[in-house]
Amino acid sequence: MDPSHTPEETAARNEPTSPSVDNSNRCCFVSLGEQERDEIATALDQGLLSKDWAPEEFGTTDFYDEAEVSEGVLPLSARSALAELRRGELDAVVVRGLPHDDVKDVARNDEPGGRIAPARGHAFISTVVRRLGFEYSYAKEKDGALVHDIFPTHSGAATQSNESWKVDLSLHTENAFHPLRPDFVVLYCVRTPKAPPATHLSQLRDILPRLTDEEIEILREPRFTIKVVDSFLSGGEESVRLPLSILSGCDRTPTVRWHENIRGTDHSAENAVAAFSAAAKAAAQAVRLQPGDLLAFANETCLHGRDKFDASLDGADRWLLRSYVRRDLTQLQPFVVSSQPRAIRMDLSARAVD
């Protein structure tokens, strides 16, 4: 997997005139050269983005539909890697050096001065989502938005959330507490500090060899509980812990649900939690996202986290776009309403796990 990038390596990656592909350890890195990046920018600006999209039109199903038709704007190397991710042959794909928006001195969408949206960022994240499946959201997270603006805030500084920056964001699977979780998570870097924080990826296939057979057997049993994250208790609901098994699936292709707030229901289970946490940290490797970099990963086989970083909270801090992907939306239908057909609404205190 790709190591952390030094400033010299970051500059060097812009030198090649043709794309390079590093496919190792079930994580594929596609690096674009300057010439290809320019060709992609031209095709995008003359195609999908030639329409005068209003800021509120980005992150809608209509825009996703248009982006899906424009999938050919992505280089073949990226499309091939994403197809392997969709088929389960890879755990993560990083596309480096996509065209990006000039937002160095532009406030975020929530800042005074008017709503803005990084058009190229929305174009690429929407195209990649539809390459993998379908976009969806949660009614209690980011107000049901299909694309999330991820940036540091005052209130979230020291929390285990996407708004944190004073603390490391621990390794986890996205929404591990929820019975309906993303198959894939897609991140696109809009803006980053001069010293970008490392995003950590830990693949289950690298974690399991660090555990004993007994520990793996315990992790497959429903001897654990997980806390519902605060963002899903926004209506004043009582905090609850839900039962789960950390490992599921067959021995050949196991899946994982993980968060650092998971607890065992007995002494042996607690020891297994500690062993899994240590193994996940030992297996993690770092990727430093720069503007124009896109990361997509399989949520059931790849944990992710992030280092702490400096933030000024002046509207010029690190900024990512994020979207959730499901291969099949059929399971969502009992939990959505006609006015927001892709936003899951359900009472987690009443419905625990699958």
Side-chain angles (χ1 to χ4, degrees):
M1 186 175 291
D2 193 37
S4 302
H5 283 261
T6 65
E8 291 77 17
E9 290 169 328
T10 298
R13 75 165 194 231
N14 293 327
E15 293 300 321
T17 57
S18 60
S20 62
V21 178
D22 175 15
N23 190 342
S24 59
N25 200 29
R26 288 179 61 90
C27 182
C28 183
F29 289 81
V30 180
S31 298
L32 306 183
E34 184 176 352
Q35 179 180 341
E36 185 167 25
R37 186 163 52 249
D38 291 343
E39 292 172 353
I40 292 171
T42 299
L44 191 66
D45 293 343
Q46 294 179 354
L48 175 61
L49 297 181
S50 62
K51 177 181 175 181
D52 189 18
W53 295 94
E56 61 271 14
E57 292 180 295
F58 294 116
T60 64
T61 53
D62 287 342
F63 187 79
Y64 275 98
D65 288 344
E66 294 277 355
E68 182 177 11
V69 176
S70 304
E71 182 191 36
V73 73
L74 291 173
L76 177 60
S77 52
R79 283 181 281 139
S80 298
L82 291 165
E84 291 183 64
L85 176 63
R86 185 183 63 212
R87 293 194 297 266
E89 297 167 10
L90 292 173
D91 290 322
V93 172
V94 179
V95 183
R96 291 198 180 278
L98 289 165
H100 58 86
D101 305 89
D102 185 11
V103 295
K104 283 186 178 180
D105 301 314
V106 179
R108 294 183 302 260
N109 294 346
D110 68 326
E111 298 274 344
R115 169 145 164 74
I116 63 100
R120 288 176 172 174
H122 276 278
F124 287 121
I125 201 168
S126 300
T127 300
V128 169
V129 164
R130 284 296 180 89
R131 181 70 170 166
L132 297 173
F134 301 94
E135 68 281 1
Y136 81 102
S137 66
Y138 299 88
K140 290 191 175 182
E141 185 170 23
K142 306 290 185 183
D143 296 320
L146 291 171
V147 179
H148 305 155
D149 290 295
I150 306 299
F151 48 77
T153 67
H154 284 285
S155 60
T159 64
Q160 283 296 303
S161 75
N162 59 72
E163 298 179 4
S164 68
W165 52 280
K166 288 186 176 181
V167 296
D168 294 340
L169 185 61
S170 300
L171 290 167
H172 62 284
T173 48
E174 198 72 12
N175 294 339
F177 63 91
H178 206 287
L180 296 174
R181 300 172 297 281
D183 291 319
F184 306 101
V185 178
V186 183
L187 300 171
Y188 175 90
C189 183
V190 179
R191 184 170 58 203
T192 195
K194 289 183 179 179
T199 295
H200 296 279
L201 300 175
S202 187
Q203 296 164 270
L204 185 59
R205 67 188 303 271
D206 295 329
I207 299 172
L208 295 181
R210 302 170 188 269
L211 300 171
T212 67
D213 290 344
E214 180 182 3
E215 288 166 342
I216 291 174
E217 182 178 350
I218 293 173
L219 291 167
R220 285 184 170 277
E221 299 173 357
R223 296 164 62 179
F224 309 92
T225 63
I226 187 170
K227 183 179 180 294
V228 178
V229 298
D230 292 341
S231 61
F232 279 74
L233 304 174
S234 56
E237 300 90 344
E238 182 180 355
S239 180
V240 295
R241 296 194 70 90
L242 305 174
L244 84 162
S245 301
I246 293 174
L247 297 179
S248 302
C250 67
D251 291 339
R252 185 169 60 86
T253 56
T255 59
V256 63
R257 296 170 67 177
W258 176 253
H259 194 283
E260 287 289 344
N261 75 40
I262 285 178
R263 298 292 179 265
T265 57
D266 56 64
H267 183 68
S268 295
E270 274 289 275
N271 287 341
V273 166
F276 186 90
S277 178
K281 292 173 182 175
Q285 298 195 39
V287 177
R288 297 183 188 273
L289 298 177
Q290 296 279 357
D293 289 352
L294 183 143
L295 165 63
F297 57 87
N299 191 44
E300 290 193 323
T301 59
C302 191
L303 313 183
H304 67 288
R306 188 212 64 233
D307 285 344
K308 62 184 178 181
F309 59 96
D310 293 330
S312 57
L313 306 181
D314 60 357
D317 288 316
R318 183 176 188 262
W319 181 7
L320 303 183
L321 300 181
R322 181 183 68 186
S323 195
Y324 296 146
V325 189
R326 294 276 294 191
R327 292 188 182 92
D328 181 3
L329 298 179
T330 305
Q331 289 182 302
L332 274 60
Q333 300 313 307
F335 309 105
V336 301
V337 295
S338 57
S339 61
Q340 222 172 353
R342 296 197 182 181
I344 298 175
R345 301 169 185 274
M346 59 193 305
D347 182 359
L348 286 171
S349 63
R351 178 186 175 95
V353 293
D354 310 322

